[in-house]
Amino acid sequence: PRNYDYDKKYERDKQGDEATENARIWNVYLDEAESYDMDMIEGFRNNIDGLLVFAALFSAVVTTFVAQTSQSLQPDNVQIIAALLYENIQVLRAAGNRTTIDAIPMATLAPGSRTYSSTDLWVNGLFFTSLALSLSTALLTVLAKQWIQE
């Protein structure tokens, strides 16, 4: 508990010594400044703790979204195989009907083809950006908390 009764804590200055460098006013000022600074630092700690919890929870949620949506950026092998099998069936039918192979349209998908849309790219890009910003915020918050503790 702080003692705010400065008359009891510090003795009165002698007549004419009220403005010297060792005057009572400076001790009172230092006590008040220390009290104000401690209250301010405690407020910063509470705000940083709240921000750190929010950043951690937000990062966890975004990570689950990234894990699910990033799978849509992989080639859809089932779709590619279906397109190639359809082309193969068309070639076999053409051979049975004595049709030229040039008349059969090529499969639109080949191994390594892009099977995702630009919307998938945008959504994943925004999720990855959000995750990077959230993790950066958490890192800066931890650094700020360590700085405040010193």
Side-chain angles (χ1 to χ4, degrees):
R2 294 206 32 96
N3 181 8
Y4 291 105
D5 190 0
Y6 295 115
D7 286 329
K8 289 181 182 176
K9 190 169 182 180
Y10 302 111
E11 61 185 52
R12 286 202 170 275
D13 293 326
K14 295 177 188 170
Q15 187 74 22
D17 287 342
E18 293 92 357
T20 62
E21 63 184 46
N22 293 327
R24 176 180 138 182
I25 187 69
W26 301 120
N27 292 326
V28 171
Y29 170 76
L30 289 175
D31 283 351
E32 288 296 323
E34 181 183 357
S35 174
Y36 177 79
D37 289 346
M38 294 308 276
D39 290 343
M40 186 173 59
I41 287 174
E42 189 62 35
F44 286 156
R45 281 187 187 138
N46 291 338
N47 286 340
I48 286 175
D49 286 342
L51 182 62
L52 188 58
V53 168
F54 176 76
L57 290 174
F58 187 78
S59 296
V61 170
V62 171
T63 300
T64 59
F65 287 140
V66 165
Q68 292 299 315
T69 60
S70 65
Q71 294 173 3
S72 66
L73 297 178
Q74 300 296 322
D76 188 1
N77 291 326
V78 174
Q79 190 177 6
I80 292 170
I81 289 172
L84 292 174
L85 283 175
Y86 182 74
E87 181 184 10
N88 192 20
I89 290 171
Q90 295 298 329
V91 168
L92 290 175
R93 282 189 180 160
N97 292 341
R98 298 191 196 313
T99 309
T100 62
I101 293 182
D102 294 337
I104 299 169
M106 296 276 298
T108 56
L109 297 174
S113 293
R114 180 181 142 184
T115 58
Y116 50 86
S117 67
S118 62
T119 304
D120 292 332
L121 284 176
W122 272 101
V123 167
N124 278 286
L126 291 174
F127 278 151
F128 277 108
T129 302
S130 176
L131 182 60
L133 290 174
S134 179
L135 292 175
S136 299
T137 301
L139 173 68
L140 291 174
T141 303
V142 168
L143 291 176
K145 188 154 176 81
Q146 288 177 349
W147 177 69
I148 284 176
Q149 299 238 341
E150 290 183 8

